[in-house]
C-alpha cells in the first residue's frame, strides 16, 4: 500500500467538529464535517484500515456489509479535502467520498378526505380553489378493482421517521416478531439492533423510529394509509406494511452514512420496497449510496425532486443513478403537468 505522507503531514493536529448535523436546511454539496466514506480493495481492507488508524489516527466508525464501505472519523485538525486526496491517491482504495448530507423533498400538505385526493382519483374536483382535469391521476380506483394491496408487502420508509401510533397508519406498521416476542434489552434476532420492534432510528441510534419532522409520516400515508376505514385518507396500498427507518433530523437533514445504515437494515430485514423521498441535489453523487442501492434486492423508489427540472440534464441523486432497481418518481399537478413545489 502506498501512503502519501506529505498530504497529511499535520494529520495528528487535524480537528473534527462534533458530527451532529447543524440545525438548518442544507444545499448540496454539504457534508458531515470530519467524516469520510471509504472503500478499500477487499483483500487489503483489514491491513489498510489498521495502517490508517495507526499512522493517521483515523478511526473506523462502521463497516457497511452491503457495499464494503467504511465510515471513518478524521482526527482533530483535519482538512477533509486533503484527507480525501490521501485516500484517492492510494491504489488500495477503490473509492472515497465525503459523508454528504441530503434533505427531505417537501411535498404539498396532506389532505384530509379521499374526495380531495385528486392524485388518486381526479374528477375535476375543486381543491383549494383549483379545479383539476378529469382523470389526470394514477387511476387508483381502477387499480383497486384488481387489488387493494397486500400485507405481505413490506415498504421501508427511509425518512424522518413515522408516527407509529397514527390512527390511519398504526394497523399497517411493520413488526419485528422476533423482538416483539423476545426479551427486553436483548438482540433477539442477532441483527445488531436491540428491541427494534418497529424499525430503527439511525439518527439518534435507538429503537424509537417515531417522526421528528412530519415528512416521513406524510410519505407513509401516501403509501399505505389504511383504506376503507372511514377515517383520514387512503394510501395507494391499503394494507402494505410500513417499516419506519429514521435518518433525517427534525429539520429534514440527514447524512449518507445513516442512509446507508437504513438501507442495509431494510435489505437485511426483508423489505420488498425501499422508499427514499429525499435528495442531495445535482452535486452530491455518492458512489457508496449507489453501490448500496445496486446491492439491494429491493425495489428502490426515489423522489425526482420538486423543482420541475429535466433530470437528464440536471441530475438529482439518488433518483438519477443508473441502478436498474430504481423507480424515479416526479410530481404532477391537477392538470397532469410537471409540478414545482
Amino acid at each position: 500500500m502506498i501512503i502519501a505522507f506529505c498530504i497529511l503531514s499535520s494529520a495528528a493536529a487535524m480537528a473534527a467538529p462534533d458530527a451532529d448535523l447543524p440545525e438548518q436546511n442544507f444545499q448540496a454539496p454539504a457534508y458531515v464535517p470530519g467524516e469520510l466514506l471509504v472503500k478499500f480493495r477487499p483483500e487489503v481492507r483489514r491491513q489498510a484500515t489498521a495502517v490508517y488508524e495507526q499512522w493517521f489516527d483515523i478511526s473506523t466508525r462502521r463497516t457497511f456489509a452491503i457495499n464494503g464501505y467504511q465510515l471513518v472519523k478524521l482526527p482533530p485538525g483535519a482538512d477533509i479535502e486533503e484527507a480525501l486526496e490521501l485516500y484517492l491517491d492510494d491504489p488500495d482504495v477503490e473509492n472515497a467520498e465525503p459523508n454528504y448530507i441530503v434533505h427531505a423533498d417537501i411535498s404539498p400538505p396532506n389532505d384530509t378526505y379521499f374526495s380531495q385526493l385528486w392524485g388518486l382519483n381526479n374528477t375535476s374536483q375543486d381543491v383549494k380553489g383549483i379545479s383539476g382535469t378529469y382523470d389526470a391521476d394514477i387511476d387508483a380506483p381502477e387499480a383497486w378493482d384488481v387489488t387493494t394491496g397486500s400485507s405481505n408487502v413490506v415498504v421501508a420508509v427511509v425518512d424522518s421517521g413515522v408516527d407509529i401510533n397514527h390512527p390511519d397508519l398504526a394497523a399497517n406498521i411493520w413488526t419485528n416478531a422476533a423482538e416483539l416476542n423476545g426479551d427486553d434489552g436483548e438482540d433477539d434476532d442477532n441483527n445488531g439492533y436491540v428491541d427494534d420492534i418497529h424499525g430503527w432510528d439511525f439518527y439518534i441510534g435507538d429503537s424509537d423510529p417515531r417522526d421528528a419532522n412530519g415528512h416521513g409520516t406524510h410519505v407513509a400515508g401516501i403509501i399505505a394509509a389504511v383504506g376503507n376505514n372511514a377515517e383520514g385518507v387512503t394510501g395507494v396500498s391499503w394494507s402494505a406494511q410500513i417499516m419506519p427507518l429514521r435518518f433525517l433530523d427534525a429539520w429534514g437533514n440527514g447524512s449518507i452514512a445513516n442512509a446507508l445504515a437504513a438501507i442495509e437494515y431494510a435489505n437485511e430485514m426483508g423489505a420488498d420496497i425501499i422508499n427514499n423521498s429525499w435528495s442531495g441535489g445535482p452535486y452530491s453523487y455518492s458512489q457508496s449510496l449507489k453501490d448500496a442501492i445496486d446491492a439491494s434486492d429491493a425495489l428502490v423508489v426515489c423522489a425526482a425532486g420538486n423543482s420541475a427540472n429535466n433530470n437528464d440534464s440536471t441530475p438529482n441523486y439518488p433518483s438519477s443513478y443508473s441502478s436498474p432497481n430504481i423507480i424515479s418518481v416526479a410530481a404532477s399537478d391537477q392538470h397532469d403537468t410537471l409540478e414545482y413545489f
Side-chain angles (χ1 to χ4, degrees):
M1 177 171 56
I2 298 174
I3 300 291
F5 286 96
C6 59
I7 296 176
L8 287 185
S9 58
S10 61
M14 296 207 285
D18 192 301
D20 288 343
L21 299 180
E23 298 178 1
Q24 76 255 18
N25 289 319
F26 284 87
Q27 298 296 323
Y31 48 77
V32 178
E35 293 184 357
L36 292 174
L37 288 159
V38 179
K39 185 177 184 180
F40 291 106
R41 291 190 295 115
E43 63 271 21
V44 300
R45 180 185 301 156
R46 185 184 299 273
Q47 175 190 2
T49 298
V51 168
Y52 278 86
E53 289 179 347
Q54 179 178 355
W55 290 357
F56 298 105
D57 196 24
I58 294 174
S59 59
T60 302
R61 290 286 188 86
R62 173 172 183 155
T63 299
F64 297 98
I66 194 170
N67 60 5
Y69 278 79
Q70 295 175 325
L71 174 63
V72 302
K73 180 76 172 180
L74 303 179
D79 182 293
I80 199 166
E81 297 296 335
E82 290 185 354
L84 187 61
E85 184 177 353
L86 170 69
Y87 277 108
L88 292 176
D89 282 346
D90 186 343
D92 286 333
V93 174
E94 292 187 3
N95 188 51
E97 62 190 30
N99 184 12
Y100 288 115
I101 293 169
V102 295
H103 52 269
D105 283 336
I106 305 301
S107 300
N110 198 2
D111 296 307
T112 305
Y113 305 104
F114 173 69
S115 62
Q116 296 183 356
L117 301 181
W118 53 263
L120 300 184
N121 187 39
N122 196 331
T123 61
S124 305
Q125 67 267 51
D126 186 295
V127 177
K128 296 185 178 180
I130 301 175
S131 297
T133 299
Y134 181 80
D135 203 33
D137 55 41
I138 67 168
D139 285 339
E142 290 87 339
W144 293 333
D145 285 339
V146 179
T147 179
T148 57
S150 169
S151 60
N152 293 325
V153 176
V154 177
V155 182
V157 176
V158 179
D159 213 285
S160 62
V162 175
D163 181 357
I164 63 176
N165 297 315
H166 191 289
D168 223 8
L169 289 172
N172 286 347
I173 298 297
W174 172 81
T175 298
N176 182 352
E179 294 291 342
L180 177 67
N181 300 318
D183 298 322
D184 289 343
E186 298 290 335
D187 183 9
D188 299 288
D189 56 1
N190 297 312
N191 68 349
Y193 299 93
V194 175
D195 295 336
D196 52 319
I197 296 174
H198 296 300
W200 195 259
D201 183 335
F202 292 92
Y203 177 71
I204 298 295
D206 63 24
S207 60
D208 183 0
R210 286 180 293 183
D211 202 345
N213 173 276
H215 185 266
T217 299
H218 172 65
V219 169
I222 292 173
I223 297 168
V226 178
N228 200 33
N229 67 342
E231 185 168 16
V233 296
T234 303
V236 175
S237 178
W238 293 5
S239 54
Q241 296 184 63
I242 294 294
M243 179 189 290
L245 301 177
R246 181 192 176 199
F247 90 106
L248 297 176
D249 66 11
W251 295 268
N253 304 311
S255 73
I256 291 294
N258 285 340
L260 291 178
I263 291 171
E264 183 173 78
Y265 180 97
N267 205 53
E268 181 179 353
M269 300 308 290
D272 302 288
I273 300 169
I274 302 175
N275 188 84
N276 306 281
S277 294
W278 45 269
S279 65
Y283 304 110
S284 61
Y285 182 99
S286 166
Q287 189 65 46
S288 62
L289 180 58
K290 182 182 184 300
D291 288 351
I293 292 173
D294 288 344
S296 177
D297 295 328
L299 177 67
V300 181
V301 180
C302 300
N306 293 330
S307 300
N309 288 329
N310 179 346
N311 285 6
D312 289 333
S313 56
T314 306
N316 180 75
Y317 300 110
S319 63
S320 291
Y321 293 140
S322 59
S323 307
N325 54 338
I326 283 182
I327 292 180
S328 178
V329 180
S332 59
D333 64 14
Q334 288 102 315
H335 306 289
D336 208 21
T337 301
L338 193 64
E339 181 61 286
Y340 176 89
F341 297 120

